[in-house]
């Protein structure tokens, strides 16, 4: 592969086992000198293109993934660089190591423009504006960055900005719902509800043939306290006495006549 043994960002030789992969390539890309952010909205591409003197270069853009094993380590390292280079000679113009999402910020007013934080081999940083001529190429650039993020996470250099998201995903959501068989006990002692509790009526002491002392449905409450008192003269069984028969009425009349001194018709006084 092209530049397979050189670091694309520094031009320094890489270990012999280094493998490079191009995630995205686009040309032409317009490079702008952009002012510092002065609005809460972020970078505005309209301010770059409104001044022709801000356009400083037309280049080729490549997103290159490099995997290698450092000489002082036994584990593989994966890094991704955004390379701005001369389209005719391939010479490096600027490089942006993709170590954090903040390296590439989309413009607030256009999907074709981005602010890219480039860095030279000595560590000095600057922010340049880049613009794609086709919206589809800008979309593909964003997809390549997503793939680059996954590649770097698999290596030793994790992209910053994902740590908080990973912690949020790993956080176990607490479930406060009651499981099957679980109950809640509420202690009302010391409250107005605990002091003014309604006590159940006392259970009947004995049982009779009517079953007043029996408990109903296993609820633990006696039904005897809810029974109405029997009417007077009912003998306490809760029922009215049956009316007297006709024979008893006649007998009662005869007794009354005898009590008054009559002989109940034996001598012909009553027919």
């Amino acid at each position: 592969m092209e530049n397979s043994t050189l670091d694309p960002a520094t031009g320094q030789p890489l270990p012999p086992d280094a493998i490079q992969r191009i995630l995205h390539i686009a040309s032409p890309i317009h490079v702008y000198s952009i002012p510092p952010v002065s609005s809460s909205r972020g970078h505005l591409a309209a301010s770059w293109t409104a001044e022709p003197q801000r356009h400083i270069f037309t280049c080729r853009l490549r997103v290159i993934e490099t995997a290698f094993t450092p000489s002082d380590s036994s584990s593989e390292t994966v890094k991704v660089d955004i390379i701005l280079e001369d389209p005719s000679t391939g010479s490096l113009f600027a490089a942006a190591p993709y170590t954090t999402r903040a390296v590439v910020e989309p413009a607030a007013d256009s999907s074709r423009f981005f602010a890219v934080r480039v860095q030279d081999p000595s560590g000095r940083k600057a922010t340049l504006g880049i613009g794609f001529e086709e919206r589809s190429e800008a979309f593909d650039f964003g997809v390549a960055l997503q793939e680059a993020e996954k590649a770097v996470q698999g290596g030793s250099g994790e992209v910053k900005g994902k740590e908080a998201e990973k912690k949020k995903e790993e956080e176990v959501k607490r479930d406060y719902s009651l499981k099957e068989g679980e109950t809640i006990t509420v202690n009302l002692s010391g409250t107005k509800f605990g002091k003014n509790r309604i006590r159940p009526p006392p259970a009947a002491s004995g049982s009779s043939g009517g079953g007043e002392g029996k408990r109903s449905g296993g609820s633990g409450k006696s039904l005897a306290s809810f029974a109405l008192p029997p009417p007077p003269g009912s003998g306490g069984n809760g029922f009215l006495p049956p009316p007297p028969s006709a024979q008893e009425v006649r007998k009662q009349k005869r007794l009354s006549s005898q009590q008054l001194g009559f002989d109940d018709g034996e001598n012909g006084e009553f027919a």
Side-chain angles (χ1 to χ4, degrees):
M1 278 184 194
E2 184 179 355
N3 293 340
S4 59
T5 60
L6 297 178
D7 189 319
T10 64
Q12 299 298 317
L14 291 171
D17 63 344
I19 299 176
Q20 290 183 330
R21 183 167 65 112
I22 298 177
L23 303 181
H24 183 64
I25 184 170
S27 181
I29 302 297
H30 301 284
V31 183
Y32 300 86
S33 171
I34 63 176
V37 178
S38 60
S39 172
S40 59
R41 293 178 57 191
H43 294 280
L44 300 176
S47 64
W48 312 344
T49 57
E51 303 177 20
Q53 66 271 20
R54 288 195 175 276
H55 184 272
I56 57 177
F57 191 59
T58 299
C59 70
R60 178 176 64 188
L61 178 145
R62 290 195 301 164
V63 180
I64 303 176
E65 172 192 323
T66 304
F68 62 97
T69 302
S71 58
D72 58 348
S73 175
S74 59
S75 59
E76 185 181 62
T77 296
V78 179
K79 73 187 193 77
V80 174
D81 298 286
I82 302 169
I83 305 300
L84 303 178
E85 57 191 9
D86 190 309
S88 57
T89 65
S91 60
L92 179 65
F93 173 73
Y98 190 63
T99 57
T100 171
R101 289 182 177 179
V103 169
V104 180
E105 298 182 38
D109 56 346
S110 175
S111 61
R112 295 188 296 112
F113 291 83
F114 300 84
V116 179
R117 190 175 66 194
V118 298
Q119 181 177 328
D120 65 8
S122 63
R124 292 179 300 180
K125 299 177 182 179
T127 302
L128 300 176
I130 63 172
F132 293 82
E133 293 187 352
E134 300 294 334
R135 187 169 283 104
S136 60
E137 290 186 341
F139 176 80
D140 292 340
F141 175 63
V143 173
L145 293 182
Q146 293 179 3
E147 188 174 354
E149 190 171 306
K150 295 178 182 178
V152 174
Q153 289 174 22
S156 58
E158 182 177 357
V159 174
K160 298 177 181 178
K162 291 293 292 182
E163 297 176 5
E165 294 183 10
K166 287 182 66 178
K167 289 181 181 179
K168 191 173 182 180
E169 292 175 358
E170 294 173 357
E171 182 180 2
V172 179
K173 294 183 180 179
R174 296 183 179 180
D175 185 8
Y176 293 100
S177 61
L178 289 177
K179 305 299 184 295
E180 184 177 356
E182 291 183 344
T183 58
I184 293 179
T185 302
V186 180
N187 185 9
L188 297 179
S189 60
T191 66
K192 64 178 181 179
F193 298 102
K195 295 178 180 179
N196 300 327
R197 289 181 297 175
I198 300 177
R199 299 182 180 276
S205 58
S207 60
S208 62
E212 292 179 356
K214 296 181 180 180
R215 305 206 178 258
S216 173
S219 63
K221 293 183 179 180
S222 173
L223 299 178
S225 59
F226 296 97
L228 294 175
S234 64
N237 57 7
F239 297 96
L240 294 175
S245 63
Q247 184 178 1
E248 291 178 349
V249 172
R250 285 195 298 269
K251 183 179 180 180
Q252 185 68 29
K253 286 183 178 181
R254 286 197 299 268
L255 291 175
S256 300
S257 299
Q258 292 175 359
Q259 291 173 356
L260 292 175
F262 295 99
D263 58 358
D264 199 16
E266 294 181 358
N267 298 319
E269 288 88 5
F270 296 96

